[in-house]
Amino acid sequence: MLRIAPPTQKQIAARLGVSQSLVSRALSGNAREIGATDVTIKKIQRAATEWNYQPSATALALLGAPTRTIGVIVKNFDDPYFGKLIGALQSLASDSKHSLLLTGPSKEDLSGLQRHRVDGVIMAGSDFQPEGLTTFARAGMPVVQIGTGTAFPGATQIHMDEKSGIDEVVHYLAGLGHREIGFVAKEAGANRRRAEMLRHALRACGLYVRAKSFVSFEGTDGQAAERTVKALLGLARMPTAVVAAEDSIALALLRAFHEAGLRVPQDISIAGIDDIAASAQSIPPLTTLRQPISEMAAAAFHAIGGRQHARVSIPGKLMIRRSCATNLTHKIIP
Amino acid sequence: MLRIAPPTQKQIAARLGVSQSLVSRALSGNAREIGATDVTIKKIQRAATEWNYQPSATALALLGAPTRTIGVIVKNFDDPYFGKLIGALQSLASDSKHSLLLTGPSKEDLSGLQRHRVDGVIMAGSDFQPEGLTTFARAGMPVVQIGTGTAFPGATQIHMDEKSGIDEVVHYLAGLGHREIGFVAKEAGANRRRAEMLRHALRACGLYVRAKSFVSFEGTDGQAAERTVKALLGLARMPTAVVAAEDSIALALLRAFHEAGLRVPQDISIAGIDDIAASAQSIPPLTTLRQPISEMAAAAFHAIGGRQHARVSIPGKLMIRRSCATNLTHKIIP
DNA sequence: AGTGCATACTCATACGTATGAGCTTGACTA
DNA sequence: TAGTCAAGCTCATACGTATGAGTATGCACT
């Protein structure tokens, strides 16, 4: 089958019997300045819309115009949180007539971005530094990272204010009477920092920090949660509330505790971080610290345009649902 | 700050004291044919890698080369199923050195795809026909739809074989002794077709089709599930098993039934369709018909390359987990 | 009739790359 | 000493668009 390309200015010009340059000016709206007639301009514009003319982005890019294309690097699409984030970014891009070029973190992906001359790069995810991205930043390309972890030299970093958020979670749990608060996380950089923040928050509330209550969630299989719950149940001083470093872990714990015969929140309270879609539909609905996704997306877009090397910290929001309850067990213990 | 663009062939040529055309040939590997020396070729290649040369995709596109860019149209990013699908597509794109241009379904988004001269378009989602996409197909652009619903003229449609899948679900439930099987769905085209398939499957298993057991899930708020469960509980002949048209609905039902005091699966069995990430972590883990996401993604890529106007139907997989149990209630009733 | 000048355009060039055709240099042949 | 030929390059052009500079036409004024 014949591949019919959209018409070019040249083709339109030929059919109307005018020059390509006049078509260009008529369509970009500055034909007046060189004295073209309204009649001619209208004629050209009508022909363009009728034949469904679309300027070639590639030709424009060649002239040095911005490509109106923003690279988005995502390492792990499995995380439901990224789906939302990409959606928010896409919506913003659409509004400002931009497009998103979606790629992975590999070297080839990055050179793809470079070949396409993207106007900027947004990388979504904590603690991953694609090899060669620093080259981009050094070359003057706006680079924005949404997530925590070590920032790139010359990149804007945007993230939830985890410290205040975790403070709020701990304050909330302490207010419910919990004195023994545990933490469950996978052994990654971002989570280690969250653990440190939790320790700090616990101390600030005058609570004791028990090393053994900080349990690592090992593995990705279905049994990982069971193992973690077992470890938690085996503790001499079992926590009455557990903070999970991510909602996906919190949801897995919810199920594992249920299967172990413990009721959430009557027997143990669980709080998460992220507020993924499933968290509102779990049994019980999960109390969690919501990532300010649309705000972060907006900040990222703004940063791409503004060329500011900054760190933007946006407060999260504690979604109080039903997975945390007043502590009855340890109420008396000082 | 100065925006440093990557070097061009011209710049490399100037610094090495050769012509741009020689650089072009040396880098594209056909310098031999015009008799260039190995020494010169190596010299140019070394300089190119050293200065991190990347060919301008825009210049190549201008020459008529494929842009190695595939448009992906997504209407609704909230659905966790699309996150997985996009991930699968991205991975395939990466492997074949393509990029994904992610856009929404609006008219501006579509013209963005046209301006960027994408090599093909994949639209993810059932029952949405972006205005103007047919123009693309007519112009000879490969268009692939992943999802059910009315296909475009000239587009390849790829979807799960829902009919066989639903047959399998019903057969499974009937095998567990269920005679009264209900259906819950939002009132959309795709779901209406699924309802029809369910009716057909019920009849094929010799089960009675009760109009009242086909309940619509109205609204998107938290109470929608409660309302649905109330409607189900109010039925004269309450189903002992319920098929939900989407996992997100099934999960909401799981919670609503639990809050209404019914145990799943002892008191009522629930099956879903899609197998989103949360379904494996629900209480109880959801038995559901898994969308063959990576297979569909692969088929979509293949179709973009192959220019076949076809319908590809890929079998789903019934993930038997723990939300369906043997029917004890109606066991005796014929 | 010649000059000035506004009107309504067209021409030519650049962007970065690929590629067919042309050019220079030196060695070898007649 | 001119002629042939191959080796190793360079030149010129096209792609689609924007834009500074140029051009043809008509009209008024002296």
Side-chain angles (χ1 to χ4, degrees):
Chain A
M1 178 197 264
L2 184 64
R3 172 85 168 262
I4 303 157
T8 67
Q9 291 185 353
K10 202 180 189 179
Q11 289 166 350
I12 294 177
R15 292 202 224 191
L16 295 183
V18 295
S19 70
Q20 174 265 326
S21 48
L22 186 58
V23 174
S24 170
R25 282 182 241 253
L27 294 180
S28 60
N30 55 3
R32 280 264 152 55
E33 297 167 16
I34 59 151
T37 334
D38 279 6
V39 182
T40 318
I41 295 177
K42 282 269 151 61
K43 186 178 65 178
I44 294 174
Q45 287 173 343
R46 269 217 318 278
T49 41
E50 189 188 339
W51 297 332
N52 195 28
Y53 169 77
Q54 290 293 346
S56 154
T58 64
L60 290 175
L62 205 51
L63 290 173
T67 52
R68 305 193 78 80
T69 293
I70 293 174
V72 175
I73 306 176
V74 176
K75 191 173 62 173
N76 178 16
F77 285 91
D78 290 341
D79 197 329
Y81 152 71
F82 286 122
K84 279 195 175 183
L85 182 56
I86 294 173
L89 290 172
Q90 202 287 310
S91 167
L92 285 165
S94 233
D95 291 348
S96 57
K97 295 183 182 302
H98 282 255
S99 299
L100 297 186
L101 204 63
L102 194 67
T103 66
S106 79
K107 223 167 177 174
E108 291 79 31
D109 287 321
L110 289 187
S111 63
L113 292 181
Q114 211 174 344
R115 275 197 300 272
H116 279 97
R117 306 288 192 262
V118 294
D119 296 336
V121 175
I122 296 175
M123 42 169 297
S126 299
D127 287 304
F128 81 106
Q129 304 221 4
E131 210 185 335
L133 192 51
T134 37
T135 320
F136 278 46
R138 253 201 304 271
M141 169 112 68
V143 176
V144 177
Q145 179 189 14
I146 300 182
T148 55
T150 331
F152 284 65
T156 302
Q157 191 179 28
I158 292 166
H159 54 84
M160 174 169 74
D161 182 351
E162 298 191 339
K163 195 164 177 319
S164 320
I166 290 175
D167 280 352
E168 194 179 350
V169 171
V170 169
H171 197 258
Y172 168 70
L173 291 173
L176 290 174
H178 294 278
R179 316 266 92 192
E180 296 286 337
I181 298 178
F183 181 73
V184 174
K186 290 178 184 160
E187 279 288 356
N191 293 334
R192 229 170 280 148
R193 282 190 304 278
R194 286 179 177 178
E196 193 43 58
M197 291 174 190
L198 187 74
R199 278 190 207 100
H200 183 270
L202 289 174
R203 277 191 285 264
C205 281
L207 300 181
Y208 195 78
V209 179
R210 271 180 231 290
K212 291 197 172 172
S213 298
F214 282 62
V215 180
S216 89
F217 188 98
E218 278 163 29
T220 50
D221 56 342
Q223 282 99 51
E226 277 86 343
R227 283 197 297 270
T228 308
V229 162
K230 213 168 173 182
L232 241 19
L233 293 177
L235 290 176
R237 283 173 171 260
M238 190 186 149
T240 61
V242 170
V243 177
E246 306 161 27
D247 272 12
S248 53
I249 292 180
L251 295 176
L253 289 180
L254 233 45
R255 185 179 54 79
F257 271 120
H258 177 261
E259 283 169 7
L262 290 197
R263 294 163 303 159
V264 177
Q266 293 91 331
D267 298 328
I268 189 160
S269 292
I270 299 184
I273 298 180
D274 279 351
D275 191 26
I276 63 180
S279 301
Q281 297 291 353
S282 59
I283 302 176
L286 188 68
T287 291
T288 183
L289 184 60
R290 170 180 285 181
Q291 292 271 5
I293 290 187
S294 39
E295 290 85 352
M296 292 194 299
F301 251 74
H302 186 254
I304 289 276
R307 301 293 301 110
Q308 48 183 342
H309 299 192
R311 281 190 154 226
V312 183
S313 200
I314 302 176
K317 191 182 172 196
L318 182 60
M319 305 300 293
I320 296 181
R321 292 201 271 247
R322 303 226 296 275
S323 64
C324 298
T326 314
N327 176 28
L328 301 170
T329 325
H330 292 228
K331 202 164 36 180
I332 327 278
I333 301 178
Chain B
M1 182 201 260
L2 186 63
R3 172 86 166 262
I4 304 157
T8 67
Q9 292 184 354
K10 202 181 188 179
Q11 289 166 351
I12 294 178
R15 292 202 226 189
L16 295 183
V18 295
S19 71
Q20 175 265 325
S21 47
L22 186 57
V23 174
S24 170
R25 285 182 237 252
L27 295 180
S28 59
N30 55 2
R32 280 266 152 55
E33 296 167 17
I34 60 152
T37 334
D38 279 5
V39 182
T40 319
I41 296 176
K42 282 270 153 63
K43 185 177 67 178
I44 293 174
Q45 287 174 341
R46 268 216 319 278
T49 41
E50 188 188 341
W51 298 331
N52 195 28
Y53 168 78
Q54 290 294 343
S56 156
T58 66
L60 290 175
L62 205 53
L63 291 173
T67 53
R68 304 193 81 79
T69 293
I70 293 174
V72 176
I73 307 177
V74 175
K75 192 172 64 172
N76 179 16
F77 285 92
D78 290 342
D79 197 330
Y81 153 70
F82 286 120
K84 278 194 178 184
L85 182 55
I86 295 173
L89 290 173
Q90 203 286 311
S91 167
L92 285 165
S94 234
D95 290 347
S96 58
K97 295 184 183 298
H98 282 254
S99 299
L100 297 185
L101 204 62
L102 193 68
T103 66
S106 78
K107 223 169 178 172
E108 292 78 31
D109 286 322
L110 288 187
S111 62
L113 291 182
Q114 213 174 341
R115 276 197 300 271
H116 278 97
R117 305 286 191 265
V118 294
D119 295 337
V121 175
I122 296 174
M123 42 170 297
S126 299
D127 287 304
F128 81 106
Q129 303 222 1
E131 212 185 334
L133 193 50
T134 38
T135 320
F136 277 47
R138 252 200 305 272
M141 168 111 70
V143 175
V144 177
Q145 180 189 13
I146 300 182
T148 55
T150 332
F152 284 65
T156 302
Q157 191 179 27
I158 291 165
H159 54 83
M160 174 169 75
D161 183 352
E162 297 190 341
K163 194 164 175 321
S164 321
I166 290 175
D167 281 352
E168 194 180 349
V169 171
V170 169
H171 197 259
Y172 169 69
L173 291 174
L176 288 175
H178 293 277
R179 315 267 94 190
E180 297 285 338
I181 298 178
F183 181 72
V184 174
K186 290 180 184 160
E187 279 287 357
N191 293 334
R192 228 170 282 148
R193 281 189 306 277
R194 287 178 177 180
E196 193 43 59
M197 291 174 191
L198 187 72
R199 278 190 208 99
H200 182 270
L202 288 175
R203 276 190 288 262
C205 280
L207 300 182
Y208 195 78
V209 178
R210 273 179 228 292
K212 290 197 171 170
S213 297
F214 284 62
V215 179
S216 88
F217 189 95
E218 278 163 30
T220 51
D221 55 343
Q223 281 100 53
E226 278 86 343
R227 283 197 298 270
T228 309
V229 162
K230 213 169 172 181
L232 241 21
L233 293 178
L235 291 176
R237 282 173 171 263
M238 192 188 146
T240 60
V242 170
V243 177
E246 306 161 29
D247 273 11
S248 53
I249 292 179
L251 295 177
L253 290 179
L254 234 44
R255 185 180 53 80
F257 272 119
H258 178 260
E259 282 169 6
L262 292 197
R263 294 164 303 160
V264 178
Q266 293 92 332
D267 298 327
I268 189 161
S269 291
I270 298 184
I273 299 179
D274 279 352
D275 191 26
I276 62 179
S279 301
Q281 297 293 350
S282 59
I283 303 174
L286 189 69
T287 289
T288 183
L289 183 60
R290 173 180 283 181
Q291 293 271 5
I293 290 188
S294 39
E295 290 85 353
M296 293 195 297
F301 251 75
H302 186 253
I304 289 276
R307 301 295 301 114
Q308 47 184 344
H309 299 191
R311 279 188 155 231
V312 183
S313 201
I314 302 175
K317 191 183 172 197
L318 183 60
M319 304 301 292
I320 297 181
R321 292 202 269 249
R322 304 226 296 273
S323 63
C324 299
T326 314
N327 176 29
L328 300 172
T329 327
H330 294 227
K331 203 166 28 180
I332 328 278
I333 301 177

